[in-house]
Amino acid sequence: MNLVPFVLHVLFVTIVHCAPRCEPADQALGRCQTQSAETAQCVTNHLNYCASYPNVLFPNLIGQLSRAEIETSAEYALISVLDNLLNGECTFDLKLLGCSILAPRCENNVLLKPCRYSCEALKRDCQHAFEMIKMAWPYFLDCDRFFVSEEEGCYDPVGKYSDTGLPDDLDEPTITLEFRHHDYMEMSTLLKQTASLCADISVLYSIGRSFEGKELYVIEFSNNPGQHGMFEPEFKYIANMHGNEALGREMLIYLAQYLCSEYLSGNQRVQTLINNTRIHLLPSMNPDGYEIASEEGPGYNGWTTGRSNIQGLDLNRNFPDLTTQFYRERRRRGSRIDHIPIPRSYWNGKVAPETRAVIKWLKKIPFVLSASIHGGDLVASYPFDLSRLPTEDKYFSPTPDEQMFKLLARTYADAHPVMSDTLTERCGGSFAEDGGIINGAQWYSFAGGMQDFNYLHTNCFEITLELSCDKYPGDEDLQPAWQENKEALLTYMEMVHRGIKGIVLDDRGRTIKGAQIKVRGIRHDIFSVANGEYWRLLPPGTYYVSAFAHGHTRVLKKIYLPVKMEGAGRVDFILRRLQPDIETEPLDDGMDEIDLIEHHERIEGRYEDEDEYSHEEKPWWWSFFANMGQSTPDWLLRTM
């Protein structure tokens, strides 16, 4: 007998019927070999979280061999806690999609494969929910690896998508503004939907959490969302800093929806703005306070309930008081009165997590222009907010950039049909003689305000917009308020392109970070950022502008900005090195302060870093999987 064919036959049978057990690492990579359909048998489905059909097939599509193995897996654990992790958003559909992989549907002993288009559509609609909690999209929902095309034969496990990848009842993307107040969950959902609809030009992210754990969501618009673009200035609106001042919150929700829909519809003005600017909208800096104020609802005029955060801190008095230091140092020759460091003693006091989040945000993004939206009157106020005379509560206290700040405030007021009205018998009528604007300290003085902090600690210019005498107007007032503010909101954003911009290089063509940009006659310098770029807001006029960096020559240029100039003027600087191989020493940009902020956040356990997790520091949702031993889902951790 010839033994060679016999041995080969036995070996072949062994390979076919005794496929090796799939290792966990191979499972994660989708390399598991599943049982052939010819020998498979449908079994009754006893998986509680995947009970929408009667029969399943083992092994499943990631190689798990039994119900017991599935129920003890991290993949199944994720399915079971989705409601808690995502606050109910997309969770029903995500469970159906996940179960199509973990508990594959079986009919007549035939495996039914899930369609790729269904996975791709759901990922498009729901991936932002994972991004908001800084969780990676689950590997077993990889649309290319585990899902198949219609040509291969498949079914839609979600049951609402067609092969176009869109819901059956949706012909084209539309946005309808709902003129009513939105609670935290409704606001979050609208922002996520807007970011998803305009995914090519927008992204939703969180800068931190409130004291009660609510995400401080920011929606960004740019032609390259998530990335700083060269010569695309950074702009921000912040609203609802005082929780009971609700109008600004709604205005920014509507503005986000408007920017998205108008960009898609081809509005040239909106497209130009977004393609040349990076816009950040924070509709609610104080979501905890808003929830308290909303319990009394629209029309509430008590002026205090919900104003502060849940700790009882007024967020617009909670920023470092750098203005007092400015007044103390301004007459000393060579003293530093811009980019003033935060005193270490500040962190020994009670600093709200919302305030810390904004400070850290300001340090990470080189904002150029900003406005904080409030309620209680109708006026545009500008720095300083703190009187330069401690004994005077209402005293004109200008910054070195008085003319620019007045131009910014007037720009908004002039574009607002009521704020600029000369009638005195109206909301905001006491400011009518001044065109609807006022210096903050001349109105009333206070320390620890956000707009003073922006100006004295960063490159950013910020003003305050009071948009309604009623802090919490009724639903019926929202549409008229939107019509009054829409043009002003757009016009003010366009002001970020005023003044000059440029790049600072050394004589080898290398960019210089921290180069000092000085305007003669204005004792307030700004500094170039990481890519050597700078923006300097200036009103029309003639200026002498210089650039200087340590170890380099100073370069002085004369510039002229005409009244009708469109866009910022380009003024580049090339600084010659004084020594051939000297290293540039950039401005201390406060990274040590960011470390200090993160230290305080870790102590309170209220913040996790955006993208990186060490073995000691895991995201807040890791506790759901902490007891799984070696089966913990490291594949859910986002990597750089």
Side-chain angles (χ1 to χ4, degrees):
M1 177 181 179
N2 190 343
L3 293 179
V4 174
F6 176 75
V7 172
L8 291 176
H9 172 74
V10 172
L11 181 60
F12 175 76
V13 171
T14 302
I15 292 173
V16 171
H17 294 283
C18 301
R21 173 73 171 90
C22 185
E23 295 299 323
D26 291 327
Q27 288 184 19
L29 295 173
R31 297 170 177 166
C32 297
Q33 185 178 6
T34 59
Q35 189 175 351
S36 66
E38 290 76 14
T39 60
Q41 295 289 325
C42 293
V43 297
T44 303
N45 182 6
H46 294 293
L47 293 163
N48 293 333
Y49 291 107
C50 297
S52 57
Y53 38 85
N55 297 315
V56 295
L57 185 71
F58 297 127
N60 63 16
L61 295 180
I62 60 172
Q64 293 167 338
L65 299 174
S66 66
R67 169 191 171 188
E69 185 177 357
I70 294 172
E71 290 180 330
T72 57
S73 69
E75 292 85 355
Y76 191 70
L78 176 63
I79 294 292
S80 69
V81 298
L82 278 174
D83 275 329
N84 292 322
L85 296 179
L86 305 182
N87 292 318
E89 184 175 7
C90 293
T91 52
F92 181 75
D93 293 341
L94 285 167
K95 285 182 180 180
L96 293 175
L97 193 73
C99 287
S100 71
I101 301 300
L102 302 182
R105 189 171 177 176
C106 184
E107 292 182 3
N108 299 320
N109 294 329
V110 175
L111 172 72
L112 300 187
K113 299 178 181 179
C115 290
R116 183 175 296 122
Y117 68 75
S118 180
C119 176
E120 291 172 343
L122 190 62
K123 183 176 181 180
R124 182 204 63 222
D125 291 346
C126 300
Q127 187 170 17
H128 65 266
F130 287 87
E131 292 173 351
M132 286 303 97
I133 62 171
K134 303 173 180 65
M135 177 183 284
W137 183 257
Y139 81 88
F140 62 94
L141 299 185
D142 187 316
C143 302
D144 293 326
R145 186 186 303 167
F146 298 112
F147 297 79
V148 300
S149 64
E150 281 193 293
E151 291 75 16
E152 298 175 74
C154 66
Y155 78 105
D156 176 9
V158 179
K160 70 176 185 181
Y161 293 110
S162 66
D163 59 2
T164 63
L166 294 172
D168 295 332
D169 59 348
L170 186 63
D171 296 324
E172 59 183 47
T174 57
I175 290 180
T176 302
L177 301 185
E178 294 183 78
F179 293 104
R180 63 178 181 83
H181 289 279
H182 297 83
D183 63 22
Y184 174 75
M185 288 303 301
E186 292 170 331
M187 177 191 72
S188 302
T189 299
L190 281 175
L191 295 176
K192 291 173 184 178
Q193 290 174 345
T194 302
S196 177
L197 183 60
C198 285
D200 290 339
I201 59 164
S202 68
V203 65
L204 189 65
Y205 65 95
S206 172
I207 62 170
R209 298 190 188 93
S210 70
F211 188 83
E212 290 194 331
K214 296 181 181 69
E215 298 286 354
L216 303 178
Y217 285 130
V218 175
I219 186 167
E220 173 200 327
F221 291 90
S222 74
N223 61 357
N224 188 20
Q227 301 292 328
H228 175 75
M230 192 70 171
F231 295 127
E232 292 185 5
E234 306 274 356
F235 177 92
K236 62 180 166 72
Y237 274 130
I238 297 178
N240 203 209
M241 186 182 201
H242 293 142
N244 62 335
E245 297 172 12
L247 181 61
R249 173 187 174 110
E250 297 303 321
M251 292 300 100
L252 292 194
I253 293 173
Y254 304 152
L255 180 60
Q257 295 178 293
Y258 176 83
L259 291 175
C260 174
S261 62
E262 290 299 302
Y263 191 97
L264 294 179
S265 66
N267 183 316
Q268 186 173 357
R269 180 187 185 186
V270 171
Q271 289 183 341
T272 299
L273 182 61
I274 291 176
N275 289 340
N276 294 281
T277 319
R278 193 175 176 209
I279 301 165
H280 307 257
L281 308 179
L282 172 57
S284 185
M285 182 180 166
N286 186 5
D288 297 345
Y290 174 83
E291 294 300 316
I292 295 173
S294 66
E295 292 178 2
E296 303 203 24
Y300 168 66
N301 291 306
W303 293 73
T304 55
T305 303
R307 175 184 173 89
S308 302
N309 81 337
I310 206 70
Q311 298 168 281
L313 297 174
D314 186 328
L315 300 183
N316 206 28
R317 310 292 188 274
N318 196 231
F319 283 82
D321 174 18
L322 305 181
T323 321
T324 296
Q325 184 173 341
F326 170 88
Y327 291 143
R328 185 172 58 246
E329 299 291 332
R330 65 193 172 118
R331 298 194 185 281
R332 297 181 183 177
R333 184 177 180 86
S335 61
R336 186 171 176 178
I337 57 172
D338 54 59
H339 296 80
I340 301 172
I342 298 174
R344 290 292 174 126
S345 59
Y346 168 75
W347 301 108
N348 297 329
K350 199 169 185 179
V351 182
E354 298 89 347
T355 307
R356 280 202 306 267
V358 170
I359 291 175
K360 190 171 181 180
W361 188 35
L362 296 180
K363 289 179 173 296
K364 290 192 171 183
I365 296 179
F367 290 109
V368 176
L369 181 61
S370 173
S372 175
I373 303 179
H374 291 250
D377 219 314
L378 191 63
V379 67
S381 74
Y382 59 89
F384 286 124
D385 274 328
L386 181 65
S387 171
R388 59 191 173 103
L389 294 184
T391 59
E392 295 290 337
D393 185 55
K394 299 178 183 294
Y395 194 85
F396 176 61
S397 304
T399 69
D401 281 283
E402 166 72 6
Q403 296 306 312
M404 188 65 218
F405 274 116
K406 286 181 70 174
L407 177 59
L408 291 171
R410 281 177 177 156
T411 296
Y412 196 94
D414 289 348
H416 191 291
V418 182
M419 195 180 293
S420 59
D421 197 319
T422 57
L423 293 176
T424 57
E425 299 299 320
R426 62 167 177 84
C427 171
S430 59
F431 308 102
E433 292 184 0
D434 297 315
I437 71 171
I438 192 170
N439 171 259
Q442 190 174 9
W443 186 14
Y444 63 92
S445 174
F446 65 91
M450 185 166 66
Q451 68 177 10
D452 284 13
F453 176 77
N454 270 263
Y455 180 67
L456 293 176
H457 189 65
T458 75
N459 285 341
C460 186
F461 286 39
E462 180 173 284
I463 68 171
T464 297
L465 303 172
E466 302 275 349
L467 299 188
S468 171
C469 287
D470 190 346
K471 286 177 174 285
Y472 202 135
D475 290 356
E476 67 278 4
D477 297 322
L478 296 180
Q479 185 170 8
W482 168 245
Q483 295 303 323
E484 290 171 355
N485 285 281
K486 178 176 68 175
E487 175 61 29
L489 289 166
L490 293 172
T491 302
Y492 184 77
M493 283 193 288
E494 291 169 335
M495 289 296 289
V496 76
H497 293 279
R498 297 296 294 265
I500 59 174
K501 64 183 178 182
I503 187 169
V504 184
L505 305 170
D506 67 12
D507 48 8
R508 290 186 179 179
R510 298 178 299 189
T511 60
I512 300 176
K513 175 185 177 182
Q516 184 181 30
I517 309 300
K518 182 183 292 292
V519 179
R520 185 180 296 176
I522 301 177
R523 197 179 171 194
H524 183 86
D525 303 337
I526 60 99
F527 292 84
S528 61
V529 297
N531 58 0
E533 171 193 12
Y534 78 90
W535 291 79
R536 211 318 175 177
L537 296 176
L538 289 169
T542 300
Y543 301 94
Y544 289 91
V545 183
S546 66
F548 170 76
H550 175 79
H552 296 73
T553 57
R554 184 183 300 273
V555 175
L556 177 68
K557 294 187 177 184
K558 182 181 179 180
I559 65 167
Y560 171 66
L561 300 176
V563 174
K564 295 185 178 180
M565 182 174 180
E566 295 185 1
R570 178 77 179 266
V571 182
D572 295 338
F573 292 92
I574 298 177
L575 308 184
R576 182 173 56 83
R577 291 167 299 140
L578 296 176
Q579 299 178 27
D581 35 12
I582 191 170
E583 292 293 332
T584 300
E585 294 184 9
L587 170 76
D588 176 8
D589 58 3
M591 290 307 294
D592 58 325
E593 291 175 346
I594 290 184
D595 293 339
L596 188 60
I597 295 171
E598 292 180 343
H599 170 71
H600 284 272
E601 288 166 339
R602 283 192 294 270
I603 290 175
E604 294 191 6
R606 297 192 176 276
Y607 177 80
E608 300 294 342
D609 196 17
E610 281 84 344
D611 296 302
E612 298 181 42
Y613 305 108
S614 66
H615 292 295
E616 295 78 22
E617 185 179 13
K618 298 293 185 182
W620 62 267
W621 45 260
W622 191 255
S623 60
F624 286 93
F625 310 98
N627 296 324
M628 301 198 68
Q630 295 183 349
S631 299
T632 51
D634 291 337
W635 36 269
L636 285 176
L637 297 176
R638 290 171 54 177
T639 58
M640 293 298 289

